[in-house]
Amino acid sequence: MPLHLMLLPGVLVTLVYAYGPILGVVMAFQKYEPVLGFFKSKWVGLKNFRYVFNLPDFNQVLWNTVLIASLKIIFSLAVPLILALLLNEITKKWFQRMIQTSIFLPFFLAWTVLGGVILELFSLRGPINGMISSMGLEPIMFMGSNNWFRAIMVGSDVWKGMGYNMIIFLAAITGINASLYEAAEVDGAGKWKQMMHITLPGMMPIIILMTTLSLGNILNAGFDQILIMYNPTVYQGADIIDTFTYRLGLFSQQFAPAAAVGLFKSGISVGLVSLSYYLAYKFSNYRIF
């Protein structure tokens, strides 16, 4: 009983803040009026979904979401993997730990902090454009260009999170039997062949696992990151489902269509998460329960 009582506050908070808002999903099927509430607003069925899908910006928003999220997934796996392989070859442990800590540090910083830093770095009068101007070139409006803005979003997200995935890959490397490397050295294999024929095959289960689990995030392109740094000039290339829902619901006060977009995203995300866990179980024998 004491243990259950200790658990009770956490259960209540979860019910109120995680499961309670699910009742708001009914707005997606209503002509919602805040004055009337959920129970008296007119039921319109799938009208909100048809309205949202016919909006001229919706297809572009969906494409932006998938493109940015896919690039983040690819580079957030490839860059940490390369870093882990490189760090594994460093023989001086103190230097390895120093590099590892410096790479991991940005992971602990919130986007409210990093967003301000990145905005200053890439502003028209920032240090990046200062270096470009010093070479006699015209300054680039990084934060006002759709192509540059996407690249900055992907690059900064990879930089922030690569330390976490790098630790996972390093842990996978330490699990490889050291006698395999000793046998390879006896056979005359150099560092490159050891990495290609021992390290990478030994890491393959965790690489497959992380790749399959990341499929569930294909519609999560980073709401907080983009919301802090984007502006109307880059809506065409940077507006994603989450920011589109935010503007539709809070700025335009179209609560029902915003709820429809959110429910659409949640439905696809549930399917992708289920698929990713099934693939993780199929190829890596990974189970939640």
Side-chain angles (χ1 to χ4, degrees), residues 25 27-29 48-55 57-58 61-62 65 219 240-249 254-269:
V25 168
M27 285 194 299
F29 306 97
N48 290 318
F49 291 90
R50 288 193 293 269
Y51 167 74
V52 168
F53 294 155
N54 288 324
L55 287 175
D57 296 334
F58 183 76
V61 167
L62 186 60
T65 305
L219 290 183
I240 59 174
I241 289 179
D242 292 325
T243 55
F244 179 73
T245 306
Y246 174 80
R247 291 190 296 107
L248 192 65
Q254 299 184 60
F255 302 112
V261 177
L263 184 59
F264 166 76
K265 181 200 169 185
S266 298
I268 295 180
S269 296

Side-chain angles (χ1 to χ4, degrees), residues 75-126:
F75 287 103
S76 292
L77 292 173
V79 173
L81 176 60
I82 294 171
L83 287 174
L85 292 172
L86 292 174
L87 275 178
N88 186 54
E89 299 302 323
I90 297 176
T91 55
K92 296 185 181 297
K93 294 299 179 183
W94 66 269
F95 185 67
Q96 184 187 59
R97 287 194 295 268
M98 184 182 70
I99 298 297
Q100 183 176 313
T101 302
S102 61
I103 293 174
F104 194 50
L105 187 61
F107 179 77
F108 296 103
L109 301 177
W111 276 118
T112 50
V113 176
L114 291 180
V117 173
I118 292 169
L119 285 173
E120 287 296 325
L121 284 174
F122 290 95
S123 67
L124 200 58
R125 292 183 174 85

